[in-house]
């Protein structure tokens, strides 16, 4: 083991021992932990690498790539100076951390959402964050306005909201597709800290997500069909399509429509009339 490799391993271990699960968004386990700080397997899971890979890094038996170093720096909450230090020890060039501007729905997409009074529509941003929606989408899925912003993410809702498992009779198919689309997002921007946080949280709380994420399947979000069992509109088979915004390619307008004259089309008309006059209780359902 070289001196730098030894120093890198000692440094990573020291920083890992300073963190608690709560500090990195993991649930606090019941009972007393036998180790101080984060476990190596917890760091590996949050960094989306194998436990063996991370152990070898701490033991100085494996070189780390720039993307892996960058992800570990975010997982361990390293400062810019500490991040530069681990790159120096690894003999890698540390790129300047990229500052990401918080996404807001583009004005033209907002106007489209407002005009679609009979069609459910949402605007999805990076990592399937839900940036905007219309009343029909809120009635079809959930009241996004009542969902905490940190959890206003389609993949998180599919895995984290029990109502979505009831809404989708083919939940496993939908969930697997979501994981595959999220994998494609990770390929486009592997250094996205919020994506790493999302993957880490879902990996901890859901065994299915953890297994399917490890399968490395990918998919592009473009067109498809969703089958839903809605408490008001009944059984729906809806075609969805994604329109990419020209001014911000990381935003897509996703609409859900039904064949005219079909029972699903009638169901959307029922939902639209309910949205127009929901009565005293304005909750979606």
């Amino acid at each position: 083991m070289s001196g730098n490799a030894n120093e890198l391993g000692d440094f990573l271990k020291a920083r890992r021992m300073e963190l608690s699960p709560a500090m990195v968004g993991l649930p606090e386990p019941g009972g007393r932990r036998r180790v101080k700080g984060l476990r190596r397997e917890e760091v590996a899971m949050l960094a989306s690498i194998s436990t063996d890979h991370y152990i070898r890094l701490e033991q100085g038996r494996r070189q780390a790539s720039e993307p892996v170093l960058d992800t570990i720096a975010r997982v361990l909450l390293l400062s810019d100076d500490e991040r530069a230090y681990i790159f120096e020890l690894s003999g890698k060039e540390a790129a300047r951390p990229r500052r990401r501007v918080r996404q807001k729905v583009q004005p033209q997409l907002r106007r489209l959402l407002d005009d679609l009074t009979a069609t459910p529509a949402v605007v999805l941003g990076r990592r399937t964050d839900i940036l905007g929606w219309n009343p029909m989408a809120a009635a079809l899925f959930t009241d996004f306005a009542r969902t905490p912003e940190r959890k206003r993410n389609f993949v998180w809702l599919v895995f984290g909201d029990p109502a979505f498992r009831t809404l989708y009779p083919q939940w496993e198919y939908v969930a697997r597709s979501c994981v595959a689309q999220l994998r494609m997002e990770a390929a486009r921007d592997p250094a996205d800290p919020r994506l790493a946080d999302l993957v880490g949280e879902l990996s901890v709380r859901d065994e299915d997500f953890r297994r399917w994420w490890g399968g490395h399947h990918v998919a592009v979000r473009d067109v498809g069909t969703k089958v839903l069992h809605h408490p008001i509109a009944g059984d729906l088979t809806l075609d969805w399509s994604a329109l990419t915004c020209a001014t911000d390619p990381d935003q897509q307008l996703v609409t859900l429509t039904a064949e005219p004259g079909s029972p699903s089309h009638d169901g959307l008309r029922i939902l639209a009339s309910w949205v127009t006059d929901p009565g005293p209780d304005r909750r979606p359902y």
Side-chain angles (χ1 to χ4, degrees):
M1 181 186 296
S2 69
N4 276 1
N6 186 54
E7 174 62 23
L8 175 63
D10 290 344
F11 183 79
L12 293 177
K13 181 178 180 180
R15 299 290 79 76
R16 173 169 62 84
M17 301 292 280
E18 292 176 347
L19 300 176
S20 68
M23 292 172 68
V24 294
L26 297 179
E28 289 284 2
R32 185 176 180 180
R33 287 170 67 93
R34 291 186 291 179
V35 296
K36 180 183 177 183
L38 292 178
R39 298 186 177 96
R40 287 181 294 190
E41 56 266 29
E42 290 171 330
V43 176
M45 179 184 56
L46 291 171
S48 298
I49 61 177
S50 70
T51 301
D52 181 67
H53 189 157
Y54 182 75
I55 290 174
R56 288 173 179 268
L57 289 179
E58 276 203 4
Q59 293 175 343
R61 295 189 291 125
R62 179 160 186 166
Q63 287 285 325
S65 65
E66 287 90 343
V68 169
L69 286 173
D70 198 51
T71 301
I72 290 174
R74 286 187 282 99
V75 169
L76 296 180
L77 307 181
L78 301 186
S79 67
D80 288 347
D81 289 342
E82 290 171 330
R83 176 181 177 276
Y85 180 63
I86 66 171
F87 272 80
E88 180 71 25
L89 290 175
S90 301
K92 308 292 184 182
E93 186 69 25
R96 185 180 297 275
R98 196 171 111 198
R99 301 195 179 276
R100 290 171 173 79
V101 178
R102 179 171 171 266
Q103 275 189 303
K104 293 184 179 179
V105 62
Q106 291 290 298
Q108 61 271 40
L109 295 186
R110 180 71 265 172
R111 290 192 293 269
L112 277 172
L113 283 176
D114 293 339
D115 288 342
L116 294 171
T117 57
T119 300
V122 297
V123 174
L124 298 183
R126 292 187 292 268
R127 72 197 76 88
T128 73
D129 287 343
I130 299 167
L131 306 179
W133 60 91
N134 64 4
M136 281 288 287
L140 181 66
F141 293 111
T142 189
D143 190 348
F144 298 114
R146 298 192 181 193
T147 303
E149 187 174 356
R150 189 179 69 84
K151 297 180 179 179
R152 204 177 293 159
N153 173 280
F154 199 81
V155 176
W156 194 97
L157 290 170
V158 166
F159 283 91
D161 188 339
F164 272 62
R165 296 178 184 256
T166 304
L167 182 64
Y168 286 115
Q170 301 172 346
W171 179 86
E172 181 174 333
Y173 171 78
V174 172
R176 282 177 174 269
S177 298
C178 285
V179 174
Q181 291 167 10
L182 197 64
R183 261 290 176 194
M184 185 64 77
E185 295 269 352
R188 294 190 184 104
D189 191 1
D192 183 354
R194 290 192 61 189
L195 177 60
D197 291 344
L198 174 64
V199 171
E201 180 179 357
L202 290 176
S203 296
V204 170
R205 66 177 295 153
D206 194 283
E207 181 180 352
D208 287 332
F209 179 91
R210 184 165 61 251
R211 184 173 68 256
W212 297 334
W213 181 261
H216 292 267
H217 296 291
V218 296
V220 176
R221 185 169 60 242
D222 46 15
V223 295
T225 301
K226 288 185 181 292
V227 177
L228 303 96
H229 178 71
H230 194 273
I232 293 171
D235 293 329
L236 302 171
T237 299
L238 304 178
D239 298 319
W240 64 269
S241 59
L243 172 67
T244 300
C245 179
T247 55
D248 183 356
D250 286 334
Q251 294 191 30
Q252 289 184 310
L253 175 71
V254 180
T255 59
L256 297 103
T257 60
E259 185 72 24
S262 66
S264 296
H265 188 259
D266 293 339
L268 286 183
R269 292 175 62 184
I270 292 172
L271 194 62
S273 64
W274 182 87
V275 168
T276 303
D277 184 19
D281 186 352
R282 296 188 62 84
R283 291 177 298 177
Y285 49 82

